[in-house]
Structures are given as structure tokens and as C-alpha cells.
Amino acid sequence: MNPPRTDARRHHDPEVRGFASDNYAGAHPEVLAALALANGGHQVAYGEDAYTENLQQVIRSHFGPTAEAFPVFNGTGANVVALQAVTDRWGAVICAESAHINVDEGGAPERVGGIKLLTVPTPDGKLTPELIDREAYGWDDEHRAMPQVVSIAQATELGTVYTPDEIRAICEHAHAHGMKVHVDGSRLANAAATLDVPLRTFTNAVGVDLLSLGGTKNGALFGEAVVVLDPDGIKHMKHLRKLSMQLASKMRFVSVQLEALLARDLWLRNARHANEMAQRLAEGVRAVHGVEILYPVQANAVFARLPHDVSERLQKRFRFYFWDEAAGDVRWMCAFDTTEDDVDRFVAALKEETAR
Ligand SMILES: Cc1ncc(COP(=O)(O)O)c(C=O)c1O
């Protein structure tokens, strides 16, 4: 069948890719095919459609019979909705200082969710029970926001991955203090690919209460979901999602994307590939004199420190961001569509620029 005619024109070169963000990538063709499949006819709006209903089964196949998905537009929205669901008006969330909810969401958890964040510096983006204890106190003190939730990211903002045992220890510790555990799983698929275990092994099986499940970085056009794993004490999600402006009227188009990723193995194929490209990149970078890799490369990100002028010259050839410009730290991200050739050309360019 011929593709439908359009008056739109292409405004970019589809062969150009950089290392700035896994969000710079387009959507996976299988996701686009699923969207086309879901198009046509009328379906009930606001989530009462057949695609959202089917998504629930897909989610339960990954996370067990009590899991329920609430599709949303984006990751910030997922985090804000999820965290509001488990905090009272006087509640606080303990998270890593480097957490996306703290540094990259424009203050939305605080300003939109009304949630106090209690942040803890970490060496590698990962919390531990000991680090949590720096902020886990004073539940009876009305002068202090009450710690009610621990939020971790898997994979973390610094490209590191928790083992299932590490998450279990966090959950046991948090639950012993009456706190719930939220996982920002914007890159949950990348973590599963690294650990080589099912998604449930490091989420509900070890005590995680709810999570923000990523789709966008995994090959979706857009779309994530709050997944409530243990509904005990988590109510009114539907109302919170609407109140937080995250309720899609044409929800079938969010749900079908998540179904396309998660029903079979597209989520894993995409994540594995992105992770493999990051490993290839790290290997190449390690051989370049004057470039230091900052954290273990455990997902699809490589953080490195290099001379500022080298980064600036390299940025003229490939897009990427400084992470801490004063320190000379940069972040290089791989996506599901990063090719071996992209990585090899980037490493060759890095070698050329450091040798100048
Ligand atoms: C760890 C993490 N959480 C959440 C998000 C989602 O953010 P957005 O609101 O841009 O979809 C991101 C995106 O970069 C992220 O890296």
C-alpha cells in the first residue's frame, strides 16, 4: 500500500544522530505501525478504550496481578502524579540530589505537586539505607516535612543501575519506617536489559510500591505510565492524573505505543541495543588519552571528564551536553537507533580533537 499523501515536508536529515539525549531519537517504526493500527473508527475517550484495557493485561504480565497502569503524557507528569499519590499535604520525598525530580523537572514536584524534596548527595546517583537515613527522621516533628516516600531512579540519572538486592534493602528500610518506595523508571527497560532479569525482579518482587514507567526513551513517540504495583494505600489515581493535566482524551494512542513496546520484546531489544552502543562508546573512549569516564557505564549513558576546548570542538561535529561545565563533565547518551558507525565516528572524532 502506498503511504498516504501529506502536505508536510521533511525538515531534517534522518541520517544525522548525536549523543545529546535518548529523547533526540525518533519513534521506533514498530511503534508507528501500532499507532496506525489504532487509528480509524471511534473509541471511547479518556481511557475507556480497548487499547488501554489491553495494556492493563500487558502490564500485569510484567508486574503481576495487582498492577495497574495509568498512561500519561510524559515522565515529569508521571513522577508528579505518582509522588502526589503517596504523600500527604505535609509529606516529603527523599531522593538523590542528582535525581531528575530534583534537577530537571523545573521544580514541578514542588510547585505542581506541592511536595517537599529532601535530597541526599550520592557518589553515583544511588541511594542506600544509610544515605536515606540522613533525611529519614523527625516524623513527629511538626517543624519538619514528614518523610513519607523514598524515590529512586532505575537506571539512575548518572547511568548507574541498582541490583535487585540493593532495591530490596531500600524497600525494607523504607517500609520499616512507614515510607513507600517510588521508582522513576524512565529508563527501566535499560536497567532490565543490563541486569538481564524480568522487570518484576527489581520492582514488585523486592517491594517497590509504584513506579513511573518510561516509554519515550525506549522508542515511543511520547507516553509513559504510572504503574501502581501495590494498591494498598494508593487511591484516587484517576483523579490525581486528571487534576495534574496528564489525562489524555485520545488515550488509545498512548496505550497502543506502550503495548507495542511491552507486549513482546521490543522494549528489551531497544534497551539492549542502546546499552550495547554505550558499552561500545565507553570502550572506545577508554582508549583515548585525557578522557576520564566518571561512573560505571551500566545503562545507555557515558559520563566523562575532558578538557573544555576538546568538548567545544567536538560539539561542533556531534550534539551533546555539558553536565557540569565548570568541571568539564559531559554526558553522552545512546538511543535505540544509535548505530555502531555513529559510535565509531564519534570516537574517531574524539581522538582527533584530543590529539590537536
Ligand atoms: C530519570 C528521568 N526521569 C524522568 C524523565 C522524564 O522527563 P520528561 O518529562 O522530559 O518526559 C527523564 C527525562 O529525561 C529522566 O531522565
Side-chain angles (χ1 to χ4, degrees):
M1 196 175 74
N2 290 330
R5 282 194 44 199
T6 173
D7 287 333
R9 288 189 300 122
R10 185 165 256 161
H11 297 284
H12 78 295
D13 180 347
E15 293 309 317
V16 172
R17 286 172 293 272
F19 293 85
S21 169
D22 33 6
N23 285 334
Y24 276 43
H28 193 279
E30 289 178 42
V31 171
L32 292 180
L35 278 164
L37 204 71
N39 199 19
H42 284 201
Q43 278 280 290
V44 186
Y46 298 112
E48 299 281 309
D49 60 273
Y51 294 90
T52 305
E53 190 188 328
N54 193 63
L55 176 66
Q56 300 302 347
Q57 287 169 29
V58 172
I59 289 292
R60 285 196 285 270
S61 74
H62 284 286
F63 297 104
T66 61
E68 190 178 356
F70 297 86
V72 294
F73 291 112
N74 59 32
T76 301
N79 288 336
V80 171
V81 171
L83 294 175
Q84 283 181 92
V86 280
T87 43
D88 292 310
R89 258 172 71 72
W90 49 90
V93 174
I94 299 175
C95 65
E97 198 173 54
S98 56
H100 197 266
I101 55 173
N102 186 44
V103 295
D104 259 328
E105 297 189 354
E110 292 98 332
R111 302 174 73 143
V112 179
I115 296 159
K116 168 82 176 164
L117 297 180
L118 300 170
T119 63
V120 186
T122 67
D124 56 2
K126 287 160 74 171
L127 287 176
T128 61
E130 294 69 36
L131 288 172
I132 288 166
D133 278 348
R134 296 210 189 151
E135 289 294 344
Y137 63 90
W139 285 277
D140 247 356
D141 178 359
E142 76 264 42
H143 300 285
R144 189 158 202 269
M146 185 190 284
Q148 293 187 313
V149 184
V150 173
S151 180
I152 61 172
Q154 174 77 321
T156 73
E157 200 54 3
L158 301 181
T160 50
V161 168
Y162 290 90
T163 65
D165 281 345
E166 286 171 335
I167 298 182
R168 185 196 308 277
I170 287 171
C171 291
E172 283 174 358
H173 194 68
H175 292 162
H177 289 294
M179 299 187 288
K180 296 215 181 281
V181 176
H182 164 256
V183 169
D184 176 349
S186 156
R187 298 189 183 89
L188 204 73
N190 300 87
T194 298
L195 296 169
D196 200 20
V197 295
L199 291 165
R200 76 177 76 85
T201 306
F202 57 96
T203 53
N204 46 328
V206 292
V208 173
D209 297 288
L210 78 172
L211 56 94
S212 306
L213 176 64
T216 315
K217 294 170 175 44
N218 193 220
L221 199 59
F222 67 92
E224 325 264 312
V226 176
V227 180
V228 175
L229 299 172
D230 180 357
D232 188 34
I234 305 179
K235 297 194 187 78
H236 310 307
M237 279 296 306
K238 275 169 42 168
H239 298 269
L240 263 179
R241 176 177 56 181
K242 174 69 179 181
L243 192 64
S244 309
M245 295 165 281
Q246 286 288 323
L247 179 64
S249 58
K250 293 188 180 177
M251 198 185 292
R252 65 170 138 157
F253 296 110
V254 183
S255 300
V256 78
Q257 293 183 70
L258 296 172
E259 182 190 340
L261 289 170
L262 291 160
R264 283 158 58 94
D265 64 349
L266 183 57
W267 66 279
L268 192 54
R269 277 189 276 138
N270 283 352
R272 268 197 189 131
H273 178 79
N275 290 1
E276 279 165 19
M277 291 304 101
Q279 286 302 332
R280 187 180 182 93
L281 176 57
E283 224 169 273
V285 166
R286 273 189 202 104
V288 184
H289 185 69
V291 184
E292 179 196 355
I293 292 184
L294 294 172
Y295 308 109
V297 177
Q298 294 172 334
N300 59 330
V302 178
F303 286 80
R305 183 167 296 166
L306 62 161
H308 197 273
D309 58 317
V310 175
S311 289
E312 279 189 325
R313 287 199 299 274
L314 197 57
Q315 280 178 325
K316 294 202 172 94
R317 302 170 65 174
F318 291 87
R319 289 282 303 231
F320 64 88
Y321 290 112
F322 278 105
W323 203 248
D324 178 345
E325 189 161 359
D329 297 353
V330 298
R331 183 188 76 164
W332 296 321
M333 297 294 307
C334 297
F336 73 87
D337 64 347
T338 305
T339 66
E340 291 185 355
D341 188 50
D342 293 333
V343 172
D344 296 347
R345 285 189 304 106
F346 182 76
V347 172
L350 176 65
K351 278 186 188 147
E352 278 169 29
E353 297 302 346
T354 47
R356 273 228 235 162

